[in-house]
Amino acid sequence: MNDIPQTLAQMKNRGRRLIGCFPLYPPLELLHSFGLTPVVLWGMNGSVQNYDSSDRHLQNYTCRVARGLTGFIIDQAAGLFDALFMYNACDTLRNLPEIIATEVELPMLRLHVPALPEERTGAKGYLQDRIRSLVKDLEQFTRRPFSADAFMASTALYRKQRALCRSLDTLCAAGGIPFARAAEVLQSAHVLGVEDHIAVLEHELAHPPSPARTPGARVMASGIQAPPATLMEVMDDSGITVAANDIATLARSYADCPPAQPDPSGYYCDFYFRHYPCSTMLPAGDRRIEVLMQRVRDSDIRGFIFFGEKFCEYEYLEFPHLQDRMKDRGVATLFLEIGAEDLANLMPMKTRIEAFAEMLGH
Amino acid sequence: MTTDTAPGGFRKTSSGRRLTGIIMNDYLQLHQRAADGAFVVWIAIVVPAELFAGFDNVVYAVPESHAAMSAGKGVGTLQCEKAERAGYSTDLCSYARIDLGTALDGGRDSPTFGMPRPHLLVSNTNNCSLLAKWFDVYHRMWGVPHFILDIPFCYEEQTGADFAYIKAQFADLIRTIEELSGQRFDEARAREAVRLSGEALLYWKRFTSLAAHRPSPITAFDSFVHMAPILTSRGTAQLVEHYRELVAETEELMAQGVYPVPGERYRLLWDSIAPWHQLRKMSARLAALGANITCASYTYCIGSLEGSFDAYAYDGGDPLDWLARLQNFSVCPHGMKLRVRAMKEAIERNAIDGVVFASNRSCKVYSLMQMDQMRSIRDTLGVPAVMIDVDHADERKYNEEASFVRIEALLETIDALRGSGA
Ligand code: SF4
Ligand code: SF4
């Protein structure tokens, strides 16, 4: 998705009411059922000219996700979005709503998702209560009542979209589409309306851009965001097959989808408490390691590339253990850390990926 | 009472000596009771430790507090390096690195011989969420259960729904300890511990409020040092006694005209965690400039509700109510509007001339709104402020000269404002 502001402006011109959301797993179905088009403000780095706007507010030891999204909202939100939505995820993000509000006057809807396992006393009840309260906020904001039918229709759309995303992953794992291309199509989910994204996915699956390639060394890619396109292209060109991905903007976002039900408070209990485990979801730590190791086995993974998000403590605190577990299974690991300032010179990382691919090839 | 006054407030007072004894004794007791079979809990700094007093034989240790002490005793960098060699990023919070380095090396080089191995880990998303990931490392390494307390961040004052959610989690924690330790919880004992903490915090508030006097009889560095037993001795008579005597002693020094910065010309406020590796040096160098950092958001927040300044007194009611209501007290779990409100109060009550915002790359929750907070303080109160880079526990990330160039510029601005009659 090369020009996010232009895409958003086009949607806006077509009469869509856009709601900018962060972080990655907002209640998309619910927002959509109120006639809003949720846009997930992640990976905005390519859409900000520089970090000047965010640097007025955030120190340079803030991760590039937060700098990118703050800068994007400050520079572009006016006229594009009708509202913003955020839920709690990390220590950096929780400071952003008030910072953003110093420059951008937009309604801000918020949700606190319990960082507790489902079975803990009060966890479910609290989340249900928060969702009901969010429904009320949305009713007030959109001036329309909640509709269970509309909600069911929205969940059906997102279910279909997530299933198509997984199909594209399967195609990528079989060498049927380069990782760089698959990731571009998959990540466009965040800034396209779900209906448009479904059309893009269906087209892509029916007409993969290149003939099937001979599958190469089977690798799992992990991290908060897919790496910059040039690094993915190097992976493709080096003969690496991304046989599984554990990237938050990709598989972690669409790997699971809860059963449909007309009550959003029940639906989102399933959604958040049983979400595909992500480093940003605190109670999922144990499950995350199990799921990753299972996927390593199922997909016959030989190498693990971790695209670390510089200054993301969640990821930092997991990597040493993950690395040990991979080593125990004979999986080679490569750790690449990417910060905002690294984007200007990716050459050393390209070289390391090529060397890693060569090592796996032997 | 005897005192040897050194510039900058590092006075060898009887309270200082008592403090050393309390901390040493707390750690000795911790090791001794653990060795004798007590149930050991490692907790995040704001987990309500008073609850453990409700059990016969539960002891607790606070990794953040231990990390602060390690940094203060000069072994912070050494422990950080151990964690870094094990693969933990240098960009990770230095408390976490110190603690991981200490644990991975079996407590070696620790001023307290480390901490006894826990039976339960209790983290808290309150001050920061990374604590839950940090405690997960031990959970995986030692197979110890990990209980997370999830405290919603406050942009406004704590809501009723959040209060009930927090209280239910405390009750859950009690049940969990009962199940794991086989001990029964006695509410009356926890209530007494809460009463004692409440009383101790009233004295603490009296102590920090002495900064309103001109010249100030205390420095923020005194409050950094004396906050330690709030973390290791919560809910004890010893804590009440310590602060009661600290107040009495400080008032007596005032009566004798003994002040830490006798020629006090600049009264400053510090916004961040204490720079543990710099306490002595920084306070002495400031004193030589006639500057006194009289108060700090890190310590004036203790015992207040989010965004306020006065103590939140315990009324003798349900102890869980008081503990739950006070959960967002420290600066990190509440938003900028509330932080600014409390800071304005601190500035006005303590007649502050300037604010030092210590931007701390180790602690994003504390730091990532300081640029806007600084603008707000400057614009609404006309109080000059400066930002310096400090890591609270990793000395390698602190540049003394660069920091003092800025602090001196702040003092010059204060002089210029005085000269202009502003
Ligand atoms: S990358 Fe990490 S630190 Fe940055 S916003 Fe995401 S979870 Fe927070
Ligand atoms: S990040 Fe800040 S609040 Fe969290 S443990 Fe470190 S110093 Fe404490």
Side-chain angles (χ1 to χ4, degrees), chain A residues 42 63 65-66 90 92-93 224 280 309 311-314:
Chain A
W42 220 247
C63 74
V65 169
C90 73
T92 295
L93 290 174
I224 292 286
T280 65
E309 206 57 59
F311 302 120
C312 179
E313 275 143 340
Y314 283 173

Side-chain angles (χ1 to χ4, degrees), chain B residues 64 93 95 127-128 130-131 134 273 332 362-365 392:
Chain B
E64 293 149 272
C93 163
Y95 276 171
N127 264 2
C128 71
L130 83 87
L131 258 155
W134 158 11
I273 301 173
C332 296
S362 257
C363 185
K364 296 181 180 59
V365 277
H392 59 285

Side-chain angles (χ1 to χ4, degrees), chain A residues 63-263:
Chain A
C63 74
R64 74 188 160 123
V65 169
R67 288 170 81 187
L69 100 82
T70 304
F72 182 81
I73 294 175
I74 291 172
D75 293 342
Q76 323 259 4
L80 270 186
F81 296 109
D82 290 284
L84 299 171
F85 167 87
M86 74 92 60
Y87 70 90
N88 55 304
C90 73
D91 300 331
T92 295
L93 290 174
R94 72 190 196 181
N95 283 340
L96 295 192
E98 287 176 302
I99 291 173
I100 289 168
T102 63
E103 295 227 21
V104 177
E105 264 187 60
L106 277 176
M108 170 80 73
L109 302 165
R110 283 197 297 260
L111 170 71
H112 182 85
V113 176
L116 298 178
E118 183 174 8
E119 61 278 7
R120 281 275 298 277
T121 316
K124 257 178 122 168
Y126 180 78
L127 179 58
Q128 286 170 333
D129 187 50
R130 298 297 81 221
I131 294 290
R132 283 184 208 115
S133 162
L134 177 62
V135 168
K136 275 196 203 129
D137 291 346
L138 284 164
E139 286 182 329
Q140 218 169 31
F141 172 65
T142 59
R143 294 173 196 279
R144 59 198 261 184
F146 169 75
S147 154
D149 289 343
F151 181 66
M152 288 296 277
S154 297
T155 52
L157 276 175
Y158 279 95
R159 165 175 302 283
K160 182 172 179 187
Q161 180 222 24
R162 288 172 187 142
L164 290 169
C165 289
R166 291 194 295 272
S167 301
L168 200 64
D169 265 357
T170 308
L171 185 65
C172 181
I177 179 172
F179 178 51
R181 173 70 189 163
E184 187 194 354
V185 171
L186 290 163
Q187 290 198 127
S188 66
H190 304 307
V191 290
L192 287 179
V194 63
E195 304 84 351
D196 296 340
H197 193 236
I198 287 173
V200 169
L201 287 163
E202 283 175 338
H203 180 269
E204 198 71 19
L205 284 162
H207 312 281
S210 58
R213 301 175 319 141
T214 315
R218 296 176 70 76
V219 162
M220 179 185 268
S222 179
I224 292 286
Q225 308 185 71
T230 41
L231 294 188
M232 292 191 280
E233 282 155 14
V234 171
M235 289 164 74
D236 289 324
D237 294 344
S238 313
I240 283 174
T241 294
V242 178
N245 88 69
D246 167 59
I247 291 175
T249 49
L250 301 176
R252 293 189 212 169
S253 299
Y254 51 70
D256 290 332
C257 198
Q261 58 169 298
D263 172 13

